[in-house]
Amino acid sequence: MADSKREIERKYEATPETRLPDLTRVAGVSAVVHRGLRELDAVYYDTEDLRLAAGSLTLRRRTGGDDAGWHLKFPVATGIRDEFRAPLADTLPSSLAGLVRSRVRDAAVAPVVRLRSSRDVHHLLDEDGALLAELSVDAVRAERLAEDGRGRTAAWTEIEVELADDQDPAVLDAVERRLRKAGVRPSASASKLARALAETAPKRRRTKAAEETGPRTAGDHVLAYVRDQITAVVDLDPAVRRDLPDSVHRMRVATRRLRSAFKTYRKVLDRTVTDPVGDELKWLAAELGIDRDQEVLDDRIRARIAALPRPLLLGPVRGRLRLWSVAGRTGSRRRIVSVLDGKRYQALLETLDALLADPPLLPGAAQEPAQALPKAVTKDYERLATRIGHALEQPPGEDRDLALHEARKAAKRARYAGEAARPALGKPAKRFAKRMKAVQTVLGDHQDSVVARDALRALAVQAHGAGESAFTWGLLYGQEEAAAADRERELPEVWAEAADPALRTALKG
């Protein structure tokens, strides 16, 4: 993996005549040291249709300065980006190529813009001489390299203030107050590349379609939701590769929401087209979940062990759990990356793009959202109601556990249906989704207990076979059994609130 750092900076408009104010009057800044002029030459790469720029990513090969090499930047928040660096090379390093693969696919990345900057650098130091921030005045010259607009140029001057590592962002606030007082204003562009692309772009007449705003039909709303989930899958791909916290879970949720939308809004999107896509999304979620499910189960059992008094921990309980956990894992971060690099996943992304480019809309897509969406949401509710009723009719035991598990899946789908309809139906859809989530939570905890009991039974068998006491595993099994019973007692009340007819009446306006 390439080296990475968190970049926190702010940019300001300037002219060649702009003069910096006395920054030693900024709170905490004791000295401003001029570090001289640096000549930087950066070539920015993208696909022909600027897929990276569309996602606010920048990929460049820069010479000059003290950080020559390949740089890839991902947006985190306004003024904050994660930067990945690789050594200078003639071609894009593989460590960076993997992080952009979900966006570029098989398309070639080629030079699109060249930026040459004369950078006048100043270091802002505290009373101990530690670096607080680096301020530079950049005279930028941009040249379009792509065929579309090749040779067009632009030039501007800007001020950039970048926070030093491990410093308080309040430093940037204080510097900004001083700059604003001197008449310096924040830049309208988020990055040099964004400004270069905008100022060197060929002039085109806006089309009527480009001027239309907001979804109007049921199909528009469903496609907007589908587009959001596809975007989430693509955006989370690099985070999964980097093994960032919760990234695998969030990517799986996006795939599940997509599959649910395809099923819920079957009167809007043709399922003969979407069902095969849903099958591939199910495959991807399963691949992502191999270690995630084991991790969740480990955490649950580990928390129960931590809550027990020491006298009740008989035998090498933690060591047994650790061995069992390792055996249950595939060591699969490497496996997940291989899946994301594989042809099947790349084909899925292409299929999702094609679905958005030519959506399989049915006649129901042309209906008013207030007409079509409540019907679809209500149908998912009715499906859930049937499963809840069936589950509650079962005597306690395996059959009820299986029925409650099926109800949990229906509750999740009903919740997602409400969330998808929220932009069109507003607060009624929000309240509906919230109640469905409450049902899902109760049923989800019940299912987690079922899975945990199976694991605890297996751990008890292993412990007994190794000559260890199985007492603690039996005790934990009993706790999980009690927890499941609590959820079963809780369910009727939670379901009664979710089944309130007023919720569905409100959806219909």
Side-chain angles (χ1 to χ4, degrees), residues 11 36-44 60 62-65 113-121 136-143 154-158 160 191-193 196:
K11 296 179 181 293
L37 197 66
R38 301 172 185 173
E39 297 296 331
L40 307 177
D41 191 345
V43 175
Y44 288 77
R60 73 186 179 201
R62 187 162 81 180
T63 57
V113 166
R114 183 182 186 185
L115 294 182
R116 284 169 287 186
S117 303
S118 294
R119 169 165 288 183
D120 195 14
V121 180
S136 63
V137 181
D138 296 344
V140 185
R141 304 173 303 285
E143 178 186 1
W156 68 89
T157 301
E158 68 180 34
E160 183 176 291
S191 68
K192 287 182 174 67
L193 175 63

Side-chain angles (χ1 to χ4, degrees), residues 42 85 96-97 105 112 127 153 175 209 226 249 251 257 269 300 337 353 397 414 436 456 459 468 482 488-489 505:
R85 298 179 179 180
L96 300 187
R105 318 288 167 72
V112 292
E127 61 183 4
T153 62
V175 172
V226 167
H249 171 65
M251 193 173 187
R257 284 180 168 143
L269 296 173
R300 185 180 181 98
V337 171
D353 280 351
M436 296 304 110
L456 290 165
L459 283 161
E468 301 164 6
E488 290 180 28
R489 284 190 293 270
T505 300

Side-chain angles (χ1 to χ4, degrees), residues 419-433:
E419 291 175 349
R422 180 180 172 184
L425 305 182
K427 289 183 179 179
K430 180 181 179 181
R431 287 194 294 271
F432 176 87

Side-chain angles (χ1 to χ4, degrees), residues 371-387:
Q371 179 182 3
L373 302 189
K375 290 180 181 178
V377 174
T378 300
K379 193 171 186 65
D380 274 354
Y381 163 81
E382 292 170 349
R383 179 170 172 269
L384 170 60
T386 299
R387 293 194 179 184

Side-chain angles (χ1 to χ4, degrees), residues 247-266:
S247 58
V248 169
H249 171 65
R250 290 164 59 204
M251 193 173 187
R252 288 180 81 195
V253 168
T255 66
R256 289 167 174 166
R257 284 180 168 143
L258 264 177
R259 291 177 60 222
S260 289
F262 292 158
K263 294 175 181 178
T264 296
Y265 298 106
R266 59 172 67 88

Side-chain angles (χ1 to χ4, degrees), residues 274-465:
T274 61
D275 276 357
V277 182
D279 290 342
E280 289 303 283
L281 289 167
K282 184 177 182 179
W283 159 77
L284 176 59
E287 291 288 351
L288 293 170
I290 291 174
D291 273 3
R292 168 68 184 177
D293 292 342
Q294 181 72 40
E295 179 184 354
V296 171
L297 179 57
D298 289 353
D299 289 345
R300 185 180 181 98
I301 297 176
R302 194 174 293 112
R304 289 223 179 265
I305 291 173
L308 286 177
R310 289 186 63 85
L312 299 182
L313 295 176
L314 302 186
V317 175
R318 289 188 175 88
R320 170 63 55 191
L321 176 62
R322 187 162 49 250
L323 288 172
W324 176 82
S325 174
V326 170
R329 291 176 183 268
T330 63
S332 74
R333 184 179 173 277
R334 190 177 304 167
R335 173 183 169 82
I336 288 177
V337 171
S338 71
V339 167
L340 298 184
D341 284 338
K343 292 182 179 179
R344 187 173 181 178
Y345 170 70
Q346 296 299 316
L348 171 59
L349 295 182
E350 294 292 345
T351 300
L352 293 174
D353 280 351
L355 187 144
L356 290 178
D358 185 18
L361 297 176
L362 295 173
Q367 291 183 329
E368 291 291 326
Q371 179 182 3
L373 302 189
K375 290 180 181 178
V377 174
T378 300
K379 193 171 186 65
D380 274 354
Y381 163 81
E382 292 170 349
R383 179 170 172 269
L384 170 60
T386 299
R387 293 194 179 184
I388 289 284
H390 174 68
L392 293 178
E393 291 173 353
Q394 305 303 310
E398 185 176 351
D399 287 344
R400 175 178 277 194
D401 290 345
L402 290 173
L404 289 172
H405 180 44
E406 292 301 311
R408 180 190 67 85
K409 292 188 284 186
K412 184 182 297 185
R413 179 163 149 184
R415 170 194 167 188
Y416 291 160
E419 291 175 349
R422 180 180 172 184
L425 305 182
K427 289 183 179 179
K430 180 181 179 181
R431 287 194 294 271
F432 176 87
K434 183 178 180 181
R435 295 288 176 85
M436 296 304 110
K437 182 179 180 181
V439 175
Q440 177 194 334
T441 298
V442 171
L443 293 172
D445 193 57
H446 182 276
Q447 177 61 16
D448 288 347
S449 177
V450 172
V451 174
R453 276 179 277 159
D454 286 343
L456 290 165
R457 186 185 298 111
L459 283 161
V461 169
Q462 289 180 10
H464 178 75

